[in-house]
Structures are given as C-alpha cells and as structure tokens.
Amino acid sequence: MGFFDEDDTSQETAATVVNTDAQKEVVQEYALDYVLVMERYQAAKASLTEAEEALIAAIPAEMREVGTHSLQTDRLFIQSAVTERWSWDQSVLKEIVQSDEAELPSCVDFNFKVSKSKFDSANEPERQVLGAALTRKAGKPKFKIEAI
C-alpha cells in the first residue's frame, strides 16, 4: 500500500482526537497553570524593568558613560558595561553617496549600511565625509551584581 492509497487506515487513526472529559480537565489544568505563570512572569518582568530604571537613575553619571565601570558597597560589587551605539542618518548617507545622474524612483527604498570596523579603518578624509551622518551615543547599561 502506498502513502495515498484509500485502504491505508493508519492515516485515519493518526488524525483521530480523543476528547474525553478527563482529557479536557487535564488540558484545562495545564492551561490555567500556564496563564498563572505567564501573569507572574509579566509582573516580574515589569518589576525588573522598574528596578533597572531606578538603579540606572541612582548610579553615578560616569557609570552611564561608554565603558566598563564598577562600584563597591559594603555588601555588593556592582559593575556596569555601557556600549556605544551608532546610528547612521540615511538621508545624509544618500546625499553623500548618490550620484547626481542616478535618481531613484519614488517607489524604491534604499538603506545604506556602514561597517563599523571598515569605517574605523578607513582613511581620515573618508571618515570625515561619512562622519556627518553618524550619531554616537551611550547604550543602556548592562549590570553584573555580586554579593561580597
């Protein structure tokens, strides 16, 4: 018998679903557990976000600047790591790169990507030209906190 033959009853049994009251009770119990855990997770996530925002506001300003910083209290060692975030102004990049003769149709969306490593290794005139489109700012601190 082939896979699509009409006499093959194994396909029919695999698709049969048992809907007993006992099975529905088990599914309901697990679904309710899932809902409760998800609610607790969402509440914990919100509390964690609030605590993180309060910690960011409380740490010294230099710990919010790019780099790795540490602070030790009598009970904790707190380390913050802040990365530098780069964003490129697409309209400025388009003005820098696009030639006058090649005008894009209005239905074409074009995004430029600048490699940070290649930008860093480019010669100074290229970096100055492209630098007009670059905005650098500190990212959000990431914390590592250890009990002493």
Side-chain angles (χ1 to χ4, degrees), residues 62-81:
E62 59 268 8
M63 289 183 76
R64 291 187 293 269
E65 295 175 3
V66 174
T68 302
H69 314 280
S70 59
L71 173 73
Q72 187 168 336
T73 68
D74 58 337
R75 295 174 35 196
L76 298 172
F77 175 75
I78 303 165
Q79 186 176 47
S80 72

Side-chain angles (χ1 to χ4, degrees), residues 12-66:
E12 194 174 303
T13 358
T16 305
V17 177
V18 179
N19 283 324
T20 65
D21 287 340
Q23 183 183 25
K24 287 180 182 178
E25 284 293 320
V26 170
V27 169
Q28 178 176 296
E29 183 178 329
Y30 284 122
L32 288 171
D33 285 347
Y34 177 85
V35 169
L36 291 173
V37 170
M38 184 58 76
E39 288 173 355
R40 288 185 202 139
Y41 169 73
Q42 294 298 333
K45 195 171 153 183
S47 294
L48 181 61
T49 299
E50 288 176 21
E52 181 184 43
E53 289 172 358
L55 179 58
I56 291 171
I59 60 175
E62 59 268 8
M63 289 183 76
R64 291 187 293 269
E65 295 175 3
V66 174

Side-chain angles (χ1 to χ4, degrees), residues 5-6 26 46 81 99 104 122 138-139:
D5 291 346
E6 291 180 28
V26 170
S99 67
L104 292 175

Side-chain angles (χ1 to χ4, degrees), residues 29-144:
E29 183 178 329
Y30 284 122
L32 288 171
D33 285 347
Y34 177 85
V35 169
L36 291 173
V37 170
M38 184 58 76
E39 288 173 355
R40 288 185 202 139
Y41 169 73
Q42 294 298 333
K45 195 171 153 183
S47 294
L48 181 61
T49 299
E50 288 176 21
E52 181 184 43
E53 289 172 358
L55 179 58
I56 291 171
I59 60 175
E62 59 268 8
M63 289 183 76
R64 291 187 293 269
E65 295 175 3
V66 174
T68 302
H69 314 280
S70 59
L71 173 73
Q72 187 168 336
T73 68
D74 58 337
R75 295 174 35 196
L76 298 172
F77 175 75
I78 303 165
Q79 186 176 47
S80 72
V82 181
T83 57
E84 184 176 52
R85 301 193 70 189
W86 287 24
S87 61
W88 295 93
D89 185 321
Q90 292 294 310
S91 61
V92 174
L93 283 174
K94 184 177 178 182
E95 290 174 15
I96 293 169
V97 177
Q98 188 176 9
S99 67
D100 293 332
E101 60 194 52
E103 189 66 31
L104 292 175
S106 62
C107 62
V108 175
D109 186 20
F110 197 87
N111 287 320
F112 295 96
K113 181 181 176 204
V114 179
S115 164
K116 185 177 179 185
S117 60
K118 289 180 181 179
F119 176 80
D120 286 340
S121 63
N123 62 42
E124 187 60 32
E126 286 177 341
R127 286 199 322 251
Q128 283 182 345
V129 169
L130 291 173
L134 175 61
T135 301
R136 294 178 177 181
K137 62 182 179 179
K140 192 175 185 179
K142 303 285 184 208
F143 294 103
K144 180 179 177 184

